[in-house]
Amino acid sequence: MREWRDVQALFSENKTPEEICRIRTQYTMEWYIRKANWNKRIYYGLSFIGMLCPLVNVVLASCEGKQMAIVIFSAITSLAASLLAMTNARLKWENYRSAAEFLKREYTLFQARAGAYQGERRVSAYLNTTEDYMGKTHASWQKLFKDKAKIGSTAAY
């Protein structure tokens, strides 16, 4: 619900161009950072499981009568590795974090009226730069998932 209020704030009347830039940047940066943190947690959690379970298996292998536990920990290790590969959590974490850093840098330049954001058309220059970047980022994600879908659909045959 909060996200919808943030989006509505962009379209309400009586907003200055600078306020629109601030709201759009803040909303987008929060979204990118939230997604980066989520994928970072997934990456570290699954990586930790993938490292811990084999270590537990080594200890269990020295004990007699622990074959079922070894099988369970081996299955958990395989599941964690598969989920890590399937989710691309590290790649997503890096991409979302890079996007947030890009927006932070551009907004700082915009606020300081530095670089490309010095003149009268600084608002339009800022919005064009950031929206183009986000559009290219989105297009590259779509291409990645389409390519993966093609590979997955041809692998089944």
Side-chain angles (χ1 to χ4, degrees), residues 29-44 89 92-94 96-97:
M29 279 185 61
E30 286 174 0
W31 188 87
Y32 278 131
I33 290 168
R34 194 170 49 249
K35 290 290 193 175
N37 287 338
W38 172 252
N39 282 286
K40 178 174 125 178
R41 284 188 206 105
I42 289 172
Y43 175 73
Y44 279 131
K92 289 178 184 177
W93 167 31
E94 291 171 352
Y96 287 132
R97 192 68 211 169

Side-chain angles (χ1 to χ4, degrees), residues 3-92:
E3 288 183 21
W4 177 243
R5 278 185 270 132
D6 292 343
V7 171
Q8 283 180 318
L10 277 174
F11 300 110
S12 65
E13 295 181 26
N14 303 324
K15 295 284 184 205
T16 66
E18 286 79 9
E19 286 176 313
I20 292 170
C21 291
R22 182 189 57 76
I23 292 167
R24 173 71 168 139
T25 303
Q26 180 180 354
Y27 169 75
T28 307
M29 279 185 61
E30 286 174 0
W31 188 87
Y32 278 131
I33 290 168
R34 194 170 49 249
K35 290 290 193 175
N37 287 338
W38 172 252
N39 282 286
K40 178 174 125 178
R41 284 188 206 105
I42 289 172
Y43 175 73
Y44 279 131
L46 293 174
S47 295
F48 180 75
I49 290 169
M51 291 184 303
L52 182 66
C53 288
L55 295 174
V56 171
N57 269 347
V58 169
V59 172
L60 291 175
S62 66
C63 302
E64 290 195 31
K66 302 292 183 185
Q67 282 70 27
M68 183 54 81
I70 292 171
V71 170
I72 291 170
F73 279 106
S74 295
I76 292 171
T77 303
S78 295
L79 179 63
S82 298
L83 287 172
L84 203 53
M86 188 174 76
T87 61
N88 286 323
R90 182 176 177 192
L91 175 66
K92 289 178 184 177

Side-chain angles (χ1 to χ4, degrees), residues 42-155:
I42 289 172
Y43 175 73
Y44 279 131
L46 293 174
S47 295
F48 180 75
I49 290 169
M51 291 184 303
L52 182 66
C53 288
L55 295 174
V56 171
N57 269 347
V58 169
V59 172
L60 291 175
S62 66
C63 302
E64 290 195 31
K66 302 292 183 185
Q67 282 70 27
M68 183 54 81
I70 292 171
V71 170
I72 291 170
F73 279 106
S74 295
I76 292 171
T77 303
S78 295
L79 179 63
S82 298
L83 287 172
L84 203 53
M86 188 174 76
T87 61
N88 286 323
R90 182 176 177 192
L91 175 66
K92 289 178 184 177
W93 167 31
E94 291 171 352
N95 286 341
Y96 287 132
R97 192 68 211 169
S98 293
E101 290 300 322
F102 173 82
L103 288 175
K104 186 167 52 172
R105 177 184 177 276
E106 293 301 311
Y107 191 68
T108 301
L109 292 172
F110 172 74
Q111 287 293 92
R113 298 177 189 268
Y117 312 118
Q118 292 179 17
E120 288 178 20
R121 302 186 49 83
R122 74 187 196 96
V123 170
S124 62
Y126 175 74
L127 289 174
N128 284 333
T129 300
T130 56
E131 294 297 330
D132 284 348
Y133 177 81
M134 288 185 282
K136 288 175 184 172
T137 301
H138 183 71
S140 70
W141 275 108
Q142 284 183 324
K143 183 181 180 321
L144 176 72
F145 289 118
K146 283 180 183 176
D147 291 347
K148 279 192 165 201
K150 284 181 186 176
I151 292 169
S153 65
T154 57

